[in-house]
Coordinates of all heavy atoms in Angstrom, one line a residue:
S253 N -27.5 6.6 0.0 CA -28.4 7.7 0.4 C -29.0 7.5 1.7 O -29.9 6.5 1.8 CB -29.5 7.9 -0.7 OG -30.4 8.9 -0.3
Q254 N -28.6 8.1 2.8 CA -29.0 7.7 4.2 C -29.7 8.9 4.8 O -29.2 10.0 5.1 CB -27.8 7.4 5.0 CG -28.1 7.0 6.4 CD -29.0 5.8 6.5 OE1 -28.6 4.8 5.9 NE2 -30.1 5.8 7.1
P255 N -31.1 8.7 5.0 CA -31.8 9.7 5.7 C -31.6 9.6 7.2 O -31.0 8.7 7.7 CB -33.3 9.4 5.4 CG -33.3 7.9 5.2 CD -32.0 7.5 4.7
L256 N -32.1 10.6 7.9 CA -32.0 10.6 9.4 C -33.1 9.9 10.0 O -33.7 10.3 11.0 CB -31.9 12.0 9.9 CG -30.7 12.8 9.3 CD1 -30.6 14.3 9.9 CD2 -29.4 12.1 9.6
D257 N -33.6 8.8 9.4 CA -34.5 7.9 10.0 C -34.2 6.5 9.4 O -33.3 6.4 8.8 CB -36.0 8.3 9.7 CG -36.4 8.4 8.3 OD1 -35.9 7.5 7.5 OD2 -37.1 9.2 7.8
A258 N -35.1 5.6 9.8 CA -34.8 4.2 9.5 C -35.4 3.6 8.3 O -35.3 2.5 8.0 CB -35.2 3.3 10.7
K259 N -36.0 4.5 7.4 CA -36.7 4.0 6.2 C -35.8 3.8 5.1 O -36.0 2.8 4.3 CB -37.9 4.9 5.9 CG -38.9 5.0 7.0 CD -40.0 6.0 6.5 CE -41.0 6.2 7.6 NZ -42.0 7.2 7.3
L260 N -34.8 4.6 4.9 CA -33.9 4.6 3.7 C -32.5 4.1 4.2 O -32.2 4.1 5.4 CB -33.9 6.0 3.0 CG -35.2 6.5 2.4 CD1 -35.0 7.9 1.9 CD2 -35.5 5.6 1.2
G261 N -31.8 3.9 3.2 CA -30.4 3.6 3.5 C -30.2 2.0 3.8 O -31.1 1.2 3.6
Y262 N -29.0 1.7 4.2 CA -28.7 0.3 4.4 C -29.0 -0.2 5.8 O -28.6 0.6 6.7 CB -27.3 0.1 4.0 CG -26.8 -1.4 4.1 CD1 -27.3 -2.4 3.3 CD2 -25.9 -1.8 5.1 CE1 -27.0 -3.7 3.4 CE2 -25.5 -3.1 5.3 CZ -26.0 -4.0 4.4 OH -25.7 -5.3 4.5
L263 N -29.5 -1.3 6.0 CA -29.8 -1.9 7.3 C -29.4 -3.3 7.3 O -29.8 -4.1 6.5 CB -31.3 -1.7 7.7 CG -31.8 -2.3 9.0 CD1 -31.1 -1.5 10.1 CD2 -33.3 -2.3 9.1
R279 N -31.2 -5.0 4.2 CA -32.3 -4.1 3.5 C -31.6 -2.9 3.0 O -30.9 -2.3 3.8 CB -33.4 -3.8 4.6 CG -34.5 -3.2 3.9 CD -35.5 -2.6 5.0 NE -34.9 -1.3 5.6 CZ -35.5 -0.8 6.6 NH1 -36.5 -1.2 7.3 NH2 -34.9 0.4 7.1
Y280 N -32.0 -2.5 1.9 CA -31.4 -1.3 1.3 C -32.6 -0.4 0.7 O -33.3 -0.9 -0.1 CB -30.4 -1.6 0.2 CG -29.7 -0.3 -0.3 CD1 -28.8 0.3 0.6 CD2 -29.9 0.3 -1.5 CE1 -28.1 1.5 0.2 CE2 -29.2 1.4 -1.9 CZ -28.3 2.0 -1.1 OH -27.7 3.2 -1.5
G281 N -32.8 0.8 1.3 CA -33.9 1.6 0.9 C -33.5 2.7 0.0 O -32.5 3.5 0.4
I282 N -34.1 2.9 -1.1 CA -33.9 4.1 -1.9 C -35.2 4.6 -2.5 O -36.2 3.9 -2.5 CB -32.9 3.7 -3.1 CG1 -33.6 2.6 -4.0 CG2 -31.6 3.3 -2.6 CD1 -32.9 2.3 -5.2
M283 N -35.2 5.9 -2.9 CA -36.4 6.5 -3.5 C -36.3 6.3 -5.0 O -35.3 6.4 -5.6 CB -36.4 8.0 -3.2 CG -36.6 8.3 -1.8 SD -38.1 7.6 -0.9 CE -39.3 8.5 -1.8
L301 N -40.9 5.0 -2.2 CA -39.9 4.4 -1.2 C -39.8 2.9 -1.5 O -40.8 2.1 -1.3 CB -40.3 4.7 0.2 CG -39.4 3.9 1.2 CD1 -37.9 4.3 1.2 CD2 -40.0 4.2 2.6
S302 N -38.6 2.5 -1.9 CA -38.3 1.0 -2.2 C -37.4 0.5 -1.2 O -36.3 1.1 -0.9 CB -37.8 0.8 -3.6 OG -36.6 1.4 -3.8
Q303 N -37.7 -0.6 -0.6 CA -36.8 -1.3 0.3 C -36.5 -2.7 -0.2 O -37.4 -3.6 -0.1 CB -37.4 -1.3 1.8 CG -37.6 0.0 2.4 CD -38.3 0.0 3.8 OE1 -38.9 -0.9 4.1 NE2 -38.0 1.1 4.5
F321 N -43.5 1.7 -1.0 CA -44.3 2.5 -0.3 C -44.5 3.8 -1.0 O -43.6 4.5 -1.4 CB -43.8 2.8 1.1 CG -43.6 1.6 2.0 CD1 -42.3 1.0 2.0 CD2 -44.5 1.1 2.8 CE1 -42.1 -0.1 2.7 CE2 -44.3 0.0 3.6 CZ -43.1 -0.6 3.6
T323 N -45.0 7.4 -0.7 CA -44.8 8.4 0.4 C -45.8 9.5 0.3 O -45.8 10.4 1.2 CB -43.5 8.9 0.3 OG1 -43.2 9.5 -1.0 CG2 -42.4 7.8 0.5
Q327 N -49.0 8.3 6.5 CA -48.8 7.0 7.1 C -49.9 6.6 8.1 O -50.1 5.4 8.3 CB -47.4 7.1 7.8 CG -46.2 7.2 6.9 CD -45.0 7.2 7.7 OE1 -44.9 7.2 8.9 NE2 -43.9 7.3 6.9
N811 N -32.7 7.0 15.4 CA -33.5 6.4 14.3 C -32.6 6.2 13.1 O -33.0 5.7 12.1 CB -34.6 7.4 13.9 CG -35.7 7.5 14.9 OD1 -35.9 6.5 15.5 ND2 -36.3 8.6 15.1
L812 N -31.3 6.5 13.2 CA -30.4 6.3 12.1 C -30.0 4.9 12.0 O -29.4 4.3 12.9 CB -29.2 7.2 12.2 CG -28.2 7.2 11.0 CD1 -28.9 7.6 9.8 CD2 -27.0 8.0 11.3
S813 N -30.3 4.2 10.9 CA -30.1 2.8 10.8 C -28.7 2.4 10.2 O -28.6 1.4 9.8 CB -31.2 2.2 9.8 OG -31.1 2.8 8.5

Side-chain angles (χ1 to χ4, degrees):
S253 176
Q254 180 60 53
L256 301 180
D257 61 35
K259 295 178 183 177
L260 293 173
Y262 182 67
L263 178 66
R279 191 192 75 189
Y280 189 70
I282 57 174
M283 298 298 297
L301 167 62
S302 65
Q303 295 180 337
F321 299 89
T323 59
Q327 294 181 358
N811 291 328
L812 183 61
S813 60

